[in-house]
Amino acid sequence: MVKEVKELVNRPDNTAYTQQRLPAWQPMLSAGIVIPGFVSIGLVFIGIGVALFVTSQSIQVLEIDYTGVEQSSPCFKCSDQTGKKCDCVMNFDIDSLFKGPVFFYYGLSNYFQNQRKYSVSIDYNQLTGDLDYFTNPDDACFPFQNDRNKPIVPCGAIANSMFNDTFQLFQLVNGQKKEVPLDGKGIAWWTDYNTKYRNPSVTPLRNAFNGTVKPPSWPQAAYELDTEDTSNNGFINQDFLVWMRTAALPDFRKLYRRITEGDYASGLPAGNYSLEIVYNYPVLSFDGRKKVVFSNVSWMGGKNEFLGIAYLVIGSLCVLMSIVMLIVYAKFKFPEED
Amino acid sequence: MVSELHRAALCRKDALEEERRVRANDREYNDKFQYASNCIMTSKYNIITFLPVNLFEQFQEVANTYFLFLLILQLIPQISSLSWFTTIVPLALVLSITAVKDATDDYFRHNSDNQVNNRQSQVLIRGSLQNEKWMNVRVGDIIKLENNQFVAADLLLLSSSEPHGLCYIETAELDGSENTPHLSIKSELRQSVSVTSELGDQNNLASFNGEVVCEPPNNKLDRFCGTLYWRDKKYTLTNQNMLLRGCVLRNTEACYGLVIFAGPDTKLMQNSGRTKFKRTSIDRLMNTLVLWIFGFLVCMGVILAVGNAVWEREVGSLFQSYLPWDPPVDNFLFSAFLSFWSYVIILNTVVPISLYVSVEVIRLGHSYFINWDQQMFCSQCNTAAEARTTTLNEELGQVEYIFSDKTGTLTQNIMSFNKCSINRQTYGNIHFTHLFVLGERLDFTPFNPLADPDFCFYDDTLLESVKVGDSHTHEFFRLLSLCHTVMSEEKSEGELIYKAQSPDEGALVTAARNFGFVFRSRTPGTITTTEMGRPVTYTLLAILDFNNIRKRMSVIVRNPEGRIRLYCKGADTVLLERLNPCNQELMNITSDHLNEYASDGLRTLALAYRDLSEDDWEMWSESHRCADKATNCREDRLAATYEAIEQDMMLLGATAIEDKLQEGVPETIAVLSLANIKIWVLTGDKQETAVNIGYSCKMLTDDMTEVFIISGHTVQSVRQELRSVHLPLQLSGVSNYGAVAHISGEFAIVINGHSLAHALEADMETEFVLTACACKAVICCRVTPLQKAQVVELIKKHKKAVTLAIGDGANDVSMIKSAHIGVGISGQEGIQAVLASDYSFSQFRFLQRLLLVHGRWSYLRMCRFLCYFFYKNFAFTMVHFWFGFFCGFSAQTVYDQYFITLYNIVYTSLPVLAMGIFDQDVPDQRSLEYPKLYEPGQLNLLFNKREFFICIAQGIYTSVVLFFVPCAVLSDATQSTGVPLADYQTFAVTTATALVIVVSVQIALDTGFWTVINHVFVWGSLGCYFAIMIALHSQTLFRIFPNQFHFVGSAQSTLLQPVVWLTIALATAICIVPVLAFRFLKVDLKPQLSDTVRKVTQTQCLLDGRLGARGGSRRSGYAFAHQEGFGELITSGKNMRLSSLALANFASRHSSNWIDTLRRKKHNHTHTPPNASGDLGAPQPYKL
């Protein structure tokens, strides 16, 4: 009896776990799975690729560089200026209907919004409308933290460098300029507009900014960003929100306006157009480029040829690979299957 | 463990003790020296010191310090490219896991310390016995021990209840901190100094005031020297007078002892320390690789820093209107310098902190699987296998050389009388199968009341032959009952205990006893036996003692009728030459039988007698006396006289003794050698015995082309013998011993200890290694413990192979410690081997499971784990490198900082851990069936520098895909609302999600054995990733900490975009499809054995016929584990003094004279080299 008890003490438990006999699925890379798998993956990819490619082909994109590097460019006269207000007009033609809704982007090249020091130069607390941070902006905003001992609101390099060219689009109909209405509402992320950026609950808004100064590069204070729509001011100004969502890559575009209203709701009809640009934003100093982009979208967003082609290529490679594997398999079968 | 010793050293006074003075019953005097108390403390920490001490210890690890350094770097704002918590969270996690493990270990140590310290012992204080806890016993106290009590401290034995102050101890539980009960192993005898043994009762002892001066505490278990001063006399004290802590008193009513060493000073505690820290080759490789990765990290840092310098000069300086340089960073060079450190911070995840802790966790898991394995549990001795070291498991899968002890490891050290040949008739031919025995075990009791009930014999024809009174059979057993040097002890009538000097003799005499020829007792001049129930007393005229050259022993006895007869037993080779020619026919038949026995691996002896006339005897006796008295060449002369009389003998028959192998030894050896593991037997036994065991465990076979025996005594002869081996082996020379080409046939080599001593010398060792490694089996006999270690070191040095040493006794400790892996056989002989070992179990056959199953799996799992681990971290980290080219080399991270923090410890840790712990490529049964599956481990194929670079390349490839695919897709993509997707946060979320999915798919591919746990971990990790990301990007968290969680809304916004998912799918396909195709083609074109085995689940056993029967051959199976010198002692009557205690005590008490005798003999042999000394090569006396 004693011996039995003792044995129980030392004998290891007989469980599937301790004896490493847990039931298990042991997948094998067998030809029966891999080759059909490759074929089906390949076919699915080719299918998606075709769909993407076709969709992408149907999307129209129009890009206009207005940096004014070349002398021939209408904006050449503005390009050497820094800070001074300058207007220029770019004319362009649309051959066929540019199907709506048309999105109007501005794009910058060689612009490093993703530079670490640039992208951390922001005070999220201040931008939630926390007045404590109006008087004491975060150190991260340096050197756009204080200007002559007065706190900068909104502080930081991102805010300071906000893009401030403005555009107006006209269709030239019989020599008459017909303004294309641009819709600037809802161009920012919902969470940015509703959560991440809040104005302080002070009315009027400008009172909240007492004792602060505007960012040095800004022509006007944050509460005066939109002179027409007073609700589109402060930190929840759509253009500001768009700018503050920093780009991942040095060549990027940001949504400027939508063309969804009036005669242009169904798109831009063929014709001559004139883009009037208020040229404020200097980029030539660092060899940057500015452009405007018109584009429409599909279910999968804007024009994206890479994705479709990549899917086609990968899909074809899968199918090709499966053929190679089939040949190899047929030739060098698994030894035991002989 | 090292620190324990260190601490123990600190506990003691600073000045080193030079000698120890202890006065009995004088606490005041002894207190002056501040000797350590008997309280032991193996624990490292207490509640207060735990945190600082443990942290201090942990930060001595280079890796931990490195991460601390990173943490400090991150606190510098100019450099910090990541928040401090990305490092501190993993670091804290790693530190706390280790701390919890240390704390648990220490808790158990505290418990066991308490338990031991609170044991009760009886201390003699002021003349009366008082119960005291062990921890309160002090040096100089006299304590009383009762039977079966543990010895509380190292005691000087003063007196005992037994005559002559003797007492018996058992060296069980030599480790107080071990909870495992170990069987009693070794009984020893101790004797008090004669003068104190008369002290007797406690009143005398209370007034005893002797003073002991002795050596300071040390760890030599078998040595003690000191002097007892008492009543103005000096008495020398030796180890024979000591009772060591950890031993148990046995068969002794009570004894008194004086405490000499207490607590940490005891030999036991001084021994409890693993001095050598073993590392596995994977460990070393891993450290090298980690260093390379550091180099790689620095290179990346430098490249990116240079890039940063260029960028700042070419672009950054012009971009200053939007991003001015910090005033302190007013030039691009300084910026580049800072950028270097920033990149060191963000790229440090290539060497993740969790690597080391994960490796430890996996190894711990594997160790538990070893401990839990029921198939390595021995129910007879109730011992489970134990992984005493948890850091060596994967090396078990790479073993190439096994060095095995013989006695107790391969064999049970039990001899059984198995077969015999008497007068043309062979007996005992019973076929054994594994499960049952054909035939009944004979019951001797009705026939013979004196029979030993433990004796087994299955052939009743022999018993019948005895019963019918066959004269040959009677003479045969009479010889066995007379011709030996066994001592008997008869406690009560009929209860005989034989004390044999070698187990072979014991088996023979016991056999004779059961067949009715009972050896009862002896005096120097007589032997009393009971023959078929009738007491007979023979006059013992002479013992012609055994020695290795004679290979036989004889006795000359006069029976009660007055007839003189010489009985001789010995090796067939020598004995058959000395027969009367009329025996020719009998001899032929008998030698056929002998060959049969030999091919069964039995140890054979041939038996013969010769009738002597009174004149013959007188004449010979005279010449013998002459020779005996001779002063020079006494040995030779004696041998000559022996030779003269051992002639013209009549053959009686032959015996075959089975040196019982441990269960499953031949099968295990066969399987291991199929796994390309070379097994070397290193034994202290004699050459014949070793060779015999070589045959019986199928290491040596008769199919072998040749078995070389090297037994030269001089450098030249050994060299010559080695050279002569080269020829048949076709070794092309010593210079290119790495490539042993074209060995036709199987060879084996047997080398003697004294030859080995020469072969191990610097100029011959390469030659020896070359020769030995070309042989299929190597047996080294008569080797000393030191030589065992030297042989192991030699192979470690020359072959760069993983070695494993397995043994059970104290003489194996050195070899166990010097091999890469030491295995102790527990529950057999002593506990020292187990204490020194890394793994212990109770049967040799468990070795195949340990290596082929656990070792193989461990290696496989560890390799797969490492490959995947490096892969996933490179895939993760290198994305930052590519991004560097697009963000002005500004050390901007691609991912959210929380993702960086959690990637290694939450999102990807558990699936790979589960794979590292549970993965199996083939079931355990298959690994044993296909020993060849073991080879990839030996060749180190699964994880080496090449595999590492492949993993790294795959990781880098994945990082390229993970960066450039989203980059290419997202730069132009927009949401369906027209909002561009190229913002940083969307990009970060997309890349991170793609990364997690790709590495999860990869682990799914790598996992070959999907248990529930794997499923939970893989799917759980993926689920966790999405849950945590959505939580971290939630508005709630942002409202509380706007500054920390500014990715608010990114998860929802990104993951709802079909383009993002298409991107992730594309990236995953590009990463995985080539891997899948490659693996498929590899399995198809170049299948590994494991793939084949895995695929073919039902197939015939691939084992070739090596386990099959061998053809018969003519060779001698003679082997006899016997030492010379005993005959002389018996006839001199020296060992009869304490006849009641018999021979068990003999060796210990008389070892000095006995060894002296031996030495004298050895030194008379002029050609005997000094290093072949009998005291080291003869294990038997020490085993008593």
Side-chain angles (χ1 to χ4, degrees), chain B residues 658-798:
Chain B
E658 184 185 3
D659 186 357
K660 279 218 160 150
L661 292 177
Q662 300 264 3
E663 211 176 309
V665 166
E667 293 81 357
T668 306
I669 286 180
V671 169
L672 291 177
S673 50
L674 281 180
N676 210 14
I677 299 173
K678 288 158 199 85
I679 300 168
W680 292 30
V681 172
L682 308 179
T683 173
D685 279 356
K686 298 190 304 183
Q687 183 186 314
E688 296 88 2
T689 321
V691 170
N692 193 280
I693 283 302
Y695 278 102
S696 63
C697 62
K698 311 279 194 281
M699 275 182 69
L700 305 179
T701 60
D702 291 326
D703 301 339
M704 283 184 156
T705 320
E706 204 167 342
V707 177
F708 304 108
I709 291 179
I710 294 180
S711 54
H713 283 279
T714 60
V715 181
Q716 280 76 24
S717 61
V718 173
R719 190 187 299 275
Q720 202 157 12
E721 282 175 321
L722 276 175
R723 293 256 160 90
S724 69
V725 174
H726 286 193
L727 204 64
L729 284 181
Q730 299 170 336
L731 299 177
S732 40
V734 183
S735 53
N736 56 346
Y737 67 87
V740 176
H742 314 303
I743 301 168
S744 52
E746 290 183 347
F747 294 87
I749 190 166
V750 177
I751 184 162
N752 257 301
H754 43 81
S755 313
L756 190 62
H758 296 300
L760 290 174
E761 275 164 24
D763 56 335
M764 220 188 295
E765 60 177 35
T766 48
E767 210 165 330
F768 172 59
V769 171
L770 167 68
T771 316
C773 292
C775 291
K776 200 148 173 78
V778 178
I779 295 176
C780 304
C781 41
R782 298 197 77 85
V783 292
T784 63
L786 181 66
Q787 281 180 328
K788 289 185 175 185
Q790 282 174 336
V791 171
V792 175
E793 292 290 348
L794 184 72
I795 294 301
K796 275 170 79 176
K797 184 171 137 199
H798 286 271

Side-chain angles (χ1 to χ4, degrees), chain A residues 25-29 33-34 38, chain B residues 864 868 871 915 919 954 997-1010 1018 1068 1071-1080 1094:
Chain A
W25 173 55
Q26 299 184 51
M28 272 287 296
L29 287 183
I33 295 169
V34 175
F38 266 62
Chain B
R864 287 190 172 175
Y868 177 77
Y871 155 78
M915 180 185 75
D919 208 40
Q954 196 196 343
I997 288 175
V998 167
V999 296
S1000 296
V1001 172
Q1002 182 67 42
I1003 191 76
L1005 276 184
D1006 285 353
T1007 305
F1009 194 74
W1010 284 80
V1018 171
T1068 311
C1071 289
I1072 299 300
V1073 162
V1075 178
L1076 211 59
F1078 176 75
R1079 290 204 179 164
F1080 175 79
R1094 199 180 156 99

Side-chain angles (χ1 to χ4, degrees), chain B residues 106-116:
Chain B
D106 213 49
Y107 172 75
F108 287 115
R109 273 189 229 116
H110 269 289
N111 274 356
S112 105
D113 285 355
N114 278 341
Q115 188 220 330
V116 170

